[in-house]
Amino acid sequence: MNDHPRISDFSGSDLDRMIPDESRFTAGVLIEPGKSYGFFTDTTVCIGCKACEVACKEWNNLPADHIGLTGQSFDNTGELSANTWRHVAFVEKSGCGGVRDNSEAPYQSGWLMLSDVCKHCHNAPCLEACPTGAIFRTEFDTVVVQQDICNGCGYCVPACPFGVVAVSENDGKAHKCTLCYDRLKGGLEPACSKACPTDSIQFGELSDLQARAAVRVEQLHGQGVGSAYLYGTPGAPGATGGLEHLNAFFLLTDRPEVYNFPVAPTRASNRVAPSLLSGLLTVAALATAASFILSSRDR
Amino acid sequence: MNEPFVGAPEIAASLKPFAIYDGTTYYGRQQLKPWPFEANVVGGYIFLAGLSGSSQILATVAAATGRRELDGAVRRGRYLSLLAPTIGSALLVYDLHTPKRFYNMLRVAKATSPMSIGTWFLMGFSAFAVASAAGRAGADRWPRQRWMKSLSTAAGVPAALAGSGLCTYTAALLSATSTPIWASAPATLAIRFGSSSIATGAAALALGETDPAARAKLDDVQLCALAVEAVLSAVTKGHHKRAGVEGAYDSLPGRIEQVGATALGVLAPLGLLAATRAMGRRPRAASVAAGILTLLGSATLRSSMLSLGNVSARRPDVSLQFSTPGNLPEVRG
Amino acid sequence: MATMDGRITLVQESRFQLTDEAGVSHLFTLSPWCAAEPAQLRPLAHSQAPVRVTYKAGVDVIGQVAQRIDVQAEAGR
Ligand code: SF4
Ligand code: SF4
C-alpha cells in the first residue's frame, strides 16, 4: 500500500491508513516522481497569519529560534535560518508616522506581506557549490540537503544569492526548506501550502503554477493593480544570471528590494572558470619569469 | 552609485523598472548570509596553501636551472611545501562544523564547486609534495643513492603543477559565491592571490638563503610578483567601485586590507626591494625585512579579504546594489 | 552534563522529540560530536526503546543538543 513512513508515528489516528495521494484533494495535483514541483506565493492575498511558519516548524520538528522581539512591524521571525524555513515579511507602507490613511488602493497596497522560503533554484548555486554532494536535486525537481552527508563546511551559505541556507550551530549541518520531501514521497502537499488559509502559498506542478500566476497578474492589472509582476519566472527579476527560473516564485507589487529580494541574482558557478584560468595564467607567467631570473648568470 | 542603465538595450524589459537601486532595505536586515567560517583559520589555510604551492613551483623551476647555488633553495622549497598537507589540512578540518565527516569531501568531484576542485588539488599536491620531500631527505641522508634525488625532482613536476592550482583556486573559492566583494572581481582577485602566493614563496626561500647571489635572484622573483600584486590591488579596488560595493571597505577589515595587506604588505617590501636593487647594494637585512613584510602582508590579505567579504554580505545596501541588473555578466561584459 | 530519560516519539533528520516519564515532550538535535547518526533515530522511535539522553542546552533555540544517547534496559514491565 501507499503507506507513509510516518503513519506508525500517529497511533491515535482513526484512519487505518493515509488517504492515498491526498494532494489531489488538498492541492488538486498528483505528486509523481520525474515532474517539477514548486510554490507560487501570491503576496496580494497574504494576511500575515504565519500559519505557514507554524506548520513548517511542526511538521519538521524544528525548534523556535531567535527568541525575542525585533521591533520591525509584526516580523519577530526576522529571517530564514537553519531552524526557520518559512519567514513572513511585513512591510508597512502607509499609516506610519502617526497619520492614518483614510483610503487605500486595492490589495494590501499599504501593508505588504510575503512568506519567504527557499527558492529551489533551477541552477541552484548552493547545490553546485556543495563539495560533498550533500545537496542534491530530488525526483520532484526540488533541492534538498542530505543530513547524513553534510559535514558543515558552510560553503553553500555564501553561494546562495537569496541568503536562505544556514549552518546550525547546534548540530553543525546546513539546513533549509526541503519542500517537504518526505511529504511529497507520501503523496502529501507541503505543510506550509496546506496550512495557508488564503492560498497565498500554492503548491503544484511548476508549469501549471506559472500559467496560473500569469493569469493572476493579468487579472490584477485589470483590477487596477498595475504594479503586480512575477519574481522568479523565466525572464523575470530573480531568475537572472543563469539561474533560469525559481521553482518557488512570487507575485510582488513593489520593488524586489522592499521584500529583501535581489533584483538580478546570479549563478555563482559562472565565476569558477574566469577566476581559475586567470589565476593559473598568472602563476604560469610568474613561474616563467622566475625561470629566467633564476637561470641568469651575470649576477 | 552605478551609472544609470535605464535604456541600455542589454537589460531585459522586465528588469528595467529596477535598473537603479534606490537604497531600499528590509529594516536594514542582511539580504545574504555570511560564510560561517573563522576568518583567521581559513585565512591561515589559504596563506599556507599559497606558500606551499609556490615554494614547490619555485623549487621545481630552480631545480630545472641546474644551478648549484640554488640547491639550498630547492631543498627548502621541497620541505616548505609540506605546510599545506600538514598544518593546512588540519586547519581546514578544524573549520568544518562536523569535522568527523571531513572525508565526505572525497566522495565527489565537482567542476562547479571550487571547494571540491581545491580538495583534489590538495590531495594531488600532498601526494607528490610528500614524495618529493621524502626523496630529497633521503638524498641528503644517503648521497650515494642517486635515484632518491631523481625521485624528488621527478615528483616535483606534478607537485608544482598541482601547486599552481593550490595557490590560486582559493580566489575562485571566494569568487564563486554570491558575496559581493568576492563575486564582483573574480579574475582580478585570482591574479592578486596568485601573485601574492608567488611572492610569499620567493620571500620564504630568500629568508633562509645564505648565498648572496641566490638571495638576489629570489628577491628579484619576489619583486616581480609584488609588482603584479601592487597593480592588481588597485585594479581590484577599481572593480569593487564599478560594481558599487566599495562601501564595504568602510569597516575594520577594509582598513586592515588597505593598510596592513596592501600598503605594508605589498608596497613597503616592493619599495624596499626596488630601492636596494637600484642602488646595486643588497644587504641581507633589507632582504629579510622585505621577506617578513611580504609574508605577513600575504597572511593579512587572506584573512582581511575573508572578513571584508562577510562585511559586504551583511550589508544589505551593498548586496542589493551588487545585484542590480547593471552588474549582470551579459550587461557588464 | 544533564540527562533525560524517555522515549523517542518523533524523528525528523537529526532532530527528535523525547517524551519523558511524565509525558512531557522535549525537542533535541544531535550534536556533531554525538556518536549516534540520524539514521539510528528512526528505529529507536519505532521500537519505543527507553533511552537516556545526555545533553546541553541549544544555542539561540528552545531545544537541547544531544551529546549521547544510551539505550536503557526496559524497567520490568
Ligand atoms: S534559494 Fe538558495 S538555498 Fe534555495 S535552492 Fe536557491 S541557492 Fe539553494
Ligand atoms: S555545509 Fe553541508 S550542504 Fe553546505 S556545502 Fe558544506 S557539505 Fe554541502
Side-chain angles (χ1 to χ4, degrees), chain B residues 217-230:
Chain B
K217 288 180 176 181
L218 288 167
D219 280 349
D220 283 351
V221 174
Q222 188 185 342
L223 182 64
C224 234
L226 286 174
V228 175
E229 195 190 344

Side-chain angles (χ1 to χ4, degrees), chain A residues 126 129-135 145 149-157 165 167 173-174, chain B residues 105 115:
Chain A
C126 63
C130 176
T132 64
I135 306 188
V145 188
I149 293 174
C150 172
N151 65 12
C153 72
Y155 193 42
C156 49
V157 178
V165 62
V167 173
K173 318 281 185 299
Chain B
M105 296 280 188
M115 193 179 277

